[in-house]
RNA sequence: UGGGCGAUCGACUAAUGGUAGGUCAAGUGCCUUUGGAGCACUCAGUCCAGGUUCGAAUCCUGGUCGCCCAGCCA
């Protein structure tokens, strides 16, 4: 059993440069016998979105693969934007995605250590207090093509810097009056090295440290050292931080602490999707959506409410891979993995979104029976259930045409179709109201076709879903379309904003839907396929007797394509 | 026009000097008690120009194009 012929043809996801790099570090024992340690470092200033899911899968997934550990660390160095609400939602979302952290950390846990290291750098002549205003600092920084010039305060004595910095920390100075800067090189072609600010004065209340501090470290001064404190071996971040890497290393080298290494990868972008925390915040604050967890939002809480699953998201992330090129993934790719997942697990039910009464003239009045229906044809172990059938039913308005267009296989006068798992019916006549609107279709059924097959072997072109009018329950159905009309929501004319690309039809609410009675006890967190329609899930807005369903995704619709092609 | 990073089917991504392959999308057919799913097939790519080599997506040289950086945000 050792020949290559008997090896199982296991499916393996192709490698990527991150995995290769870590594997190489493990092989060469770059960190000795220490285990691989990563971290996921969100700033608690907003909700996590699908883009973060990629980072989470990489940070946790790769560590896991190499038998390492991952910390969840809140990068909470800016009290003005951060809130406990975000801290809570982030933890919930990471767990929902299926990951558990080794340690829960906060950059604010390291404020004392960071402060002491700042004193150390001042004593070493590597940092100074600068009294320049923010505007002056900008001017002194130079431009992309011109070098900056030294601040007049750059050569203060160590004693003076120490005194000033301690007084900064003690709250003797107002916001913005001065900053602590690293003394590096004002002529560096990398702007990040032109004496970057290490600390600024912010008399703000921090969500964890309260009013204990009035000076707060900048990202660059906090991140690498936080990594180092936690013995992070591989600190993965997105491409835009590549220019920060020299500074990341500079602090670690000057301080002589554990040499964590930063590695950058490409951020996830999706068509028709906005993944900017600032703009998502704007959508929420200005009421363009119903909240961070609006099912149209790309936030993890939004797509969770929409009915997306962690399994599908993880499969999607694995499939798009990781490189250093900036691209934009087709949203269809995400939707494919979600349909694939739900197709395997979602229980099938019959539900009519836009009802049209169908009366079976030759079915005995007052009679009812139950037909057996498979809960999931993809999974026989899901079993079957009994669904009530009677003389008056509802079918989908779209499933009947008085004048059928070419290739239309559904019900029309004189045509015979199958009611799923029930009987063959043939449309006979229609009933209209005084304004000429269709209100009922009358048909006849073939009693011999019970279960959905005719003993004479007769074939029908179409199978349709239905619900028994007398037994059906009603529900509100929320249909979602893309939130934006453009592939790139950030594409707009001068003087406009991304809001012009908002899709006015992104939410449609249906109130007439009729569902099979087994759905009466559906709970949020469950997933269903409404046969022939799409995947749906109960919304938390549901109340007893007042069900609300979200459409996660519609089923692929070949007929819609045919119709579109014919119309075009 | 300083610095950094990058460029493979329409999209994402493999091939690490040796047959340019996979997934999504698109299209065709088969099958079907979901016009779903599934199955089969098709379309379609190495940014450009030179060079090295028996052989280049890969190495070298020179271009072109794209993204990022001038917060006391992260």
């Amino acid at each position: 059993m050792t020949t290559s012929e008997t090896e199982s043809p296991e499916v393996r996801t192709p490698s990527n440069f991150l995995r290769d790099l870590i594997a190489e570090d493990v092989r060469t024992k770059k960190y000795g016998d220490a285990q691989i340690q990563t971290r996921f470092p969100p700033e608690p200033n907003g909700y996590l979105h699908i883009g973060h899911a990629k980072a989470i899968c990489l940070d946790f997934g790769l560590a896991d693969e190499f038998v390492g550990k991952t910390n969840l660390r809140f990068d909470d160095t800016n009290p003005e934007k951060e809130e406990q609400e975000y801290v809570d939602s982030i933890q919930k979302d990471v767990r929902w995605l299926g990951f558990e952290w080794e340690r829960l950390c906060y950059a604010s846990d390291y404020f004392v250590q960071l402060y002491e290291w700042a004193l150390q750098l001042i004593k070493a002549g590597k940092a100074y207090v600068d009294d320049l205003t923010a505007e002056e600092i900008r001017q002194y920084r130079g431009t992309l093509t011109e070098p900056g010039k030294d601040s007049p305060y750059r050569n203060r004595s160590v004693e003076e810097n120490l005194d000033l910095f301690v007084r900064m920390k003690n709250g003797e100075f107002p916001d913005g009056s001065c900053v602590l800067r690293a003394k590096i090189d004002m002529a560096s072609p990398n702007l990040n090295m032109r004496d970057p600010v290490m600390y600024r004065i912010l008399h703000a209340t921090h969500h964890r440290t309260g009013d204990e501090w009035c000076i707060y470290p900048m990202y660059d001064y906090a991140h690498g050292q936080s990594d180092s404190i936690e013995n992070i071996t591989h600190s993965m971040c997105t491409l835009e931080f590549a220019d920060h890497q020299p500074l990341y290393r500079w602090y670690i080298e000057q301080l002589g602490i554990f040499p964590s290494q930063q590695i950058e990868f490409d951020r996830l972008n999706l068509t028709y999707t906005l993944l900017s925390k600032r703009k998502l915040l704007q959508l929420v604050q200005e009421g363009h959506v119903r909240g961070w967890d609006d099912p149209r939002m790309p936030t993890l809480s939004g797509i969770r409410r929409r009915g997306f699953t962690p399994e599908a998201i993880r499969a999607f992330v694995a499939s798009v891979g990781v490189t250093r090129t900036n691209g934009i993934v087709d949203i269809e790719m995400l939707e494919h993995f979600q349909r694939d997942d739900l197709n395997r697990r979602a229980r099938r039910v019959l539900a009519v979104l836009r009802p049209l009464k169908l009366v079976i003239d030759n079915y005995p009045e007052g009679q009812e029976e139950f037909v057996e229906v498979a809960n999931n044809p993809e999974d026989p172990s899901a079993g079957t259930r009994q669904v009530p059938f009677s003389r008056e039913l509802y079918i989908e308005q779209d499933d009947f045409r008085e004048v059928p267009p070419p290739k239309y296989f559904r019900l029309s006068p004189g045509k015979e179709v199958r009611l799923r798992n029930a009987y063959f019916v043939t449309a006979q006549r229609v009933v209209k109201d005084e304004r000429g609107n269709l209100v009922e279709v009358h048909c006849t059924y073939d009693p011999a076709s019970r279960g959905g097959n005719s003993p004479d072997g007769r074939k029908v072109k179409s199978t349709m879903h239905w619900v028994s009018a007398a037994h059906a329950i009603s529900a509100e159905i929320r249909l979602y379309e893309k939130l934006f009309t453009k592939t790139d929501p950030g594409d707009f004319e001068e003087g406009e904003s991304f809001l012009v690309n908002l899709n006015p039809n992104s939410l449609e609410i249906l109130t007439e839907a009729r569902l099979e009675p087994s759905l009466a006890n559906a709970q949020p967190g469950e997933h269903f396929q409404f046969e022939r329609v799409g995947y749906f899930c109960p919304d938390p807005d549901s109340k007893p007797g007042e069900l609300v369903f979200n459409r996660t995704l519609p089923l692929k619709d070949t007929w819609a394509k045919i119709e579109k092609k014919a119309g075009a």
Side-chain angles (χ1 to χ4, degrees):
Chain A
M1 292 291 282
T2 56
T3 68
S4 59
E5 289 158 28
T6 56
E7 278 175 18
S8 67
E10 67 185 54
V11 182
R12 187 187 302 172
T13 50
S15 196
N16 60 59
F17 80 100
L18 282 178
R19 179 159 28 226
D20 293 346
L21 188 147
I22 296 174
E24 180 68 3
D25 287 349
V26 169
R27 192 184 66 78
T28 63
K29 288 187 181 271
K30 181 167 182 172
Y31 292 95
D33 292 322
Q35 66 179 359
I36 294 302
Q37 183 72 239
T38 64
R39 103 269 90 117
F40 172 59
E43 181 189 11
N45 68 341
Y47 279 63
L48 258 25
H49 54 62
I50 182 74
H52 293 108
K54 174 171 177 173
I56 293 169
C57 289
L58 253 22
D59 288 332
F60 285 88
L62 251 14
D64 202 47
E65 213 174 296
F66 290 95
V67 203
K69 294 289 196 301
T70 305
N71 294 339
L72 171 60
R73 181 172 73 233
F74 289 99
D75 221 334
D76 55 348
T77 57
N78 184 355
E80 295 181 330
K81 292 184 177 175
E82 297 152 7
E83 294 174 25
Q84 187 61 36
E85 176 194 354
Y86 300 133
V87 170
D88 296 338
S89 74
I90 288 168
Q91 293 183 56
K92 182 179 179 184
D93 289 346
V94 171
R95 287 201 166 110
W96 175 71
L97 254 193
F99 298 102
E100 188 58 53
W101 46 90
E102 168 74 358
R103 286 202 289 142
L104 180 62
C105 309
Y106 295 82
S108 54
D109 289 341
Y110 313 134
F111 281 174
V112 171
Q113 175 66 265
L114 257 11
Y115 173 72
E116 285 171 0
W117 277 334
L119 293 174
Q120 185 181 326
L121 288 175
I122 291 171
K123 288 173 189 163
K126 300 288 186 180
Y128 63 98
V129 173
D130 194 344
D131 294 346
L132 252 28
T133 64
E135 174 59 23
E136 287 166 335
I137 285 181
R138 175 162 42 247
Q139 284 162 2
Y140 275 70
R141 187 154 33 224
T143 69
L144 294 178
T145 53
E146 299 162 287
K149 55 183 179 183
D150 290 359
S151 163
Y153 303 98
R154 197 174 200 259
N155 293 312
R156 293 218 252 223
S157 68
V158 167
E159 292 68 31
E160 187 181 7
N161 281 321
L162 239 23
D163 173 64
L164 256 15
F165 184 55
V166 169
R167 288 166 63 193
M168 271 173 70
K169 180 218 168 203
N170 290 342
E172 293 185 29
F173 309 125
D175 287 5
S177 55
C178 55
V179 293
L180 182 71
R181 290 230 255 171
K183 191 189 284 190
I184 307 181
D185 177 9
M186 289 306 292
S188 172
N190 181 344
L191 304 236
N192 293 117
M193 301 300 273
R194 318 241 264 227
D195 289 10
V197 172
M198 295 165 60
Y199 274 94
R200 76 282 212 190
I201 299 173
L202 248 31
H203 289 271
T205 301
H206 186 277
H207 67 99
R208 291 192 76 238
T209 60
D211 296 320
E212 192 180 334
W213 297 84
C214 64
I215 56 171
Y216 290 91
M218 296 289 289
Y219 164 84
D220 285 304
Y221 183 67
H223 201 95
Q225 288 91 303
S226 298
D227 283 345
S228 186
I229 289 168
E230 294 172 22
N231 285 311
I232 302 299
T233 54
H234 301 265
S235 177
M236 294 167 278
C237 62
T238 46
L239 250 24
E240 68 270 26
F241 290 98
D243 288 340
H244 295 246
Q245 196 180 134
L247 183 52
Y248 179 101
R249 287 207 287 251
W250 190 87
Y251 285 127
I252 285 177
E253 279 165 20
Q254 295 303 319
L255 262 12
I257 55 180
F258 182 83
S260 299
Q261 58 176 329
Q262 172 180 310
I263 309 149
E264 310 87 16
F265 63 87
D266 65 320
R267 172 188 284 280
L268 173 68
N269 294 302
L270 280 178
T271 56
Y272 297 100
T273 308
L274 208 59
L275 295 178
S276 139
K277 276 203 223 172
R278 208 200 102 246
K279 287 175 180 161
L280 294 178
L281 210 211
Q282 188 182 344
L283 290 176
V284 172
Q285 289 182 333
E286 295 179 1
H288 298 106
V289 293
R290 295 179 173 189
W292 282 104
D293 67 343
D294 187 299
R296 292 167 293 181
M297 290 281 274
T299 50
L300 294 181
S301 52
I303 62 181
R304 169 171 62 234
R305 186 171 177 181
R306 169 91 167 244
F308 278 66
T309 59
E311 292 82 358
I313 293 168
R314 283 192 250 116
F316 164 71
V317 167
S319 146
V320 299
V322 51
T323 63
R324 289 176 67 90
T325 66
N326 20 35
I328 179 159
V329 178
D330 214 319
I331 187 92
E332 301 272 8
M333 182 88 90
L334 206 211
E335 296 179 348
H336 161 79
F337 282 97
Q338 190 53 69
R339 286 195 180 96
D340 189 52
D341 178 50
L342 256 15
N343 176 50
R344 276 192 290 259
R345 32 197 290 210
R347 195 180 116 198
R348 270 61 170 174
V349 292
L350 300 179
V352 174
L353 264 40
R354 297 176 176 85
L356 170 63
K357 179 76 75 73
L358 179 72
V359 181
I360 307 172
D361 291 333
N362 61 338
Y363 192 91
E365 270 187 71
Q367 178 173 316
E368 67 169 40
E369 64 183 300
F370 287 82
V371 296
E372 186 173 40
V373 177
N375 286 327
N376 185 350
E378 300 286 320
D379 176 17
S381 73
T384 62
R385 68 187 185 286
Q386 301 293 321
V387 179
F389 183 90
S390 62
R391 185 171 188 268
E392 298 198 357
L393 311 168
Y394 287 114
I395 60 170
E396 209 71 63
Q397 287 171 17
D398 213 34
D399 284 343
F400 177 82
R401 295 291 173 85
E402 227 180 325
V403 182
K407 294 182 187 166
Y408 184 86
F409 301 149
R410 284 112 97 157
L411 201 60
S412 58
K415 281 279 178 53
E416 183 172 52
V417 301
R418 170 168 41 233
L419 293 179
R420 170 132 244 227
N421 294 96
Y423 293 99
F424 283 6
V425 295
T426 304
Q428 302 297 347
R429 64 190 172 89
V430 302
V431 176
K432 294 183 176 177
D433 63 17
E434 57 280 3
R435 294 199 306 276
N437 296 316
L438 186 63
V439 293
E440 274 180 17
V441 174
H442 285 250
C443 65
T444 52
Y445 84 122
D446 175 3
S449 63
R450 189 172 201 280
N453 276 312
S454 170
D456 65 9
R458 196 158 88 241
K459 300 286 185 196
V460 290
K461 291 279 267 187
S462 182
T463 299
M464 299 175 5
H465 60 284
W466 51 273
V467 293
S468 168
H471 303 85
I473 57 173
S474 47
E476 173 180 322
I477 308 286
R478 298 175 182 169
L479 304 180
Y480 303 102
E481 294 290 338
K482 296 180 175 71
L483 226 204
F484 294 97
T485 55
K486 279 195 179 169
T487 316
D488 173 14
D491 175 29
F492 51 83
E493 298 296 313
E494 182 78 35
E496 295 180 328
S497 87
F498 71 96
L499 297 173
V500 302
N501 295 326
L502 238 19
N503 176 6
N505 304 314
S506 59
L507 169 62
E508 183 181 3
I509 298 178
L510 266 25
T511 55
E512 304 295 312
R514 295 289 182 278
L515 326 177
E516 67 166 74
S518 75
L519 246 12
N521 296 314
Q523 299 296 322
E526 294 185 289
H527 302 275
F528 299 93
Q529 185 197 94
F530 290 4
E531 287 206 44
R532 301 209 308 134
V533 181
Y535 296 102
F536 292 78
C537 66
D539 188 87
D541 282 350
S542 296
K543 297 186 193 72
E546 291 176 54
L547 284 170
V548 177
F549 281 87
N550 294 314
R551 182 173 68 190
T552 306
L553 287 172
L555 248 29
K556 287 202 180 172
D557 189 348
T558 305
W559 167 244
K561 275 185 194 171
I562 294 171
E563 242 185 344
K564 195 178 171 188
K565 212 191 288 180

